[in-house]
Each structure stands twice: as C-alpha cells, then as structure tokens.
Amino acid sequence: MNLQEFKKAIKNKQHIQVVSIIELEREPTHPGEILEEEFMKPLGISQSKLAKDIGVSVRAINEIVNKKRSITPEMAIRLSKKFGTSPEFWLGLQMDYDLWKAYHKPSRKYKNKTVKPLNK
C-alpha cells in the first residue's frame, strides 16, 4: 500500500491490515522519495528552498531525496516543523526502510531460519 492508497483508506474508514516489515515482499519506500513526491512537489518547494527553510545544506536534502542519506532525529524534527507532521512519522519511515534492508541483506545468515526465543 502506497501513501496515496493509505490516505484514501483512512478517509474511507477502511480496514487496514498491518503486516510486519519482515513479511513485506517489496522494499518500503525510502523517506526521501516520500519527502519529494508527497511534500516538496505538491507544494512546489525545491531542494534549495527546503534546505534554506529548515537550516540545512542543499547537499543534505539532495542526498536524502536520492536515498544516499538517512533521516536522523534532528532532520525528523526539522521536517516535522516545516510540514506539520511528527518527528515519529519521518523516523518511522526510516526505521521501516532500514529494518527491511537489513533483514533482506543477501549475507543474512538466518534469514529463513527460525530462532528460538529466550525463555522467561
């Protein structure tokens, strides 16, 4: 489910099934792509304008948009203030992306194996 489908489902009060990131077959959308496609483009904000508005370098914004840099807690706070979202929104997107990438690494030793949980 992409962001537009999610917004539509919320608006129509539809049931949304929650799936573990580990079970997701496709890579989650990088927060930089969401930043560009769902916030910057609709509002007509360039990378340089956003960088200036939130007090960071154009390079930082460019690297986020191009999936070369992660959203840090500091950046999440800056973006949340600019766009009226929460820092948790941005960090949640980044966490989902990072967790999926880590889990689906080709070198992951026990990707398809079950690990016994610790007994309490």
Side-chain angles (χ1 to χ4, degrees):
M1 173 179 285
N2 64 33
L3 187 58
Q4 290 173 338
E5 292 168 338
F6 179 75
K7 287 178 181 178
K8 186 177 177 183
I10 294 292
K11 184 178 178 183
N12 296 330
K13 299 181 181 178
Q14 294 174 327
H15 176 74
I16 299 169
Q17 183 179 1
V18 177
V19 178
S20 168
I21 277 297
I22 292 169
E23 296 171 20
L24 244 157
E25 292 182 21
R26 68 163 186 83
E27 178 179 298
T29 305
H30 188 276
E33 186 177 342
I34 292 173
L35 173 62
E36 183 177 40
E37 296 297 325
E38 302 295 333
F39 292 90
M40 294 170 63
K41 282 184 179 178
L43 296 171
I45 300 172
S46 67
Q47 290 182 15
S48 57
K49 170 81 169 120
L50 177 59
K52 183 179 178 186
D53 288 353
I54 66 173
V56 299
S57 69
V58 176
R59 181 178 181 172
I61 298 301
N62 182 266
E63 288 178 355
I64 289 170
V65 166
N66 289 302
K67 299 195 233 182
K68 294 180 180 179
R69 185 183 288 211
S70 298
I71 301 285
T72 63
E74 177 66 31
M75 183 63 75
I77 292 168
R78 291 171 186 260
L79 292 172
S80 69
K81 287 180 179 178
K82 172 69 179 170
F83 295 114
T85 60
S86 69
E88 293 85 1
F89 169 76
W90 297 104
L91 292 174
L93 293 172
Q94 188 66 56
M95 181 187 67
D96 289 349
Y97 182 81
D98 291 345
L99 183 59
W100 191 92
K101 292 293 270 187
Y103 190 78
H104 289 85
K105 247 184 186 175
S107 63
R108 184 152 166 79
K109 291 181 182 173
Y110 40 81
K111 180 177 174 181
N112 297 317
K113 296 179 185 176
T114 56
V115 178
K116 284 186 176 182
L118 296 172
N119 291 331
K120 289 187 176 184

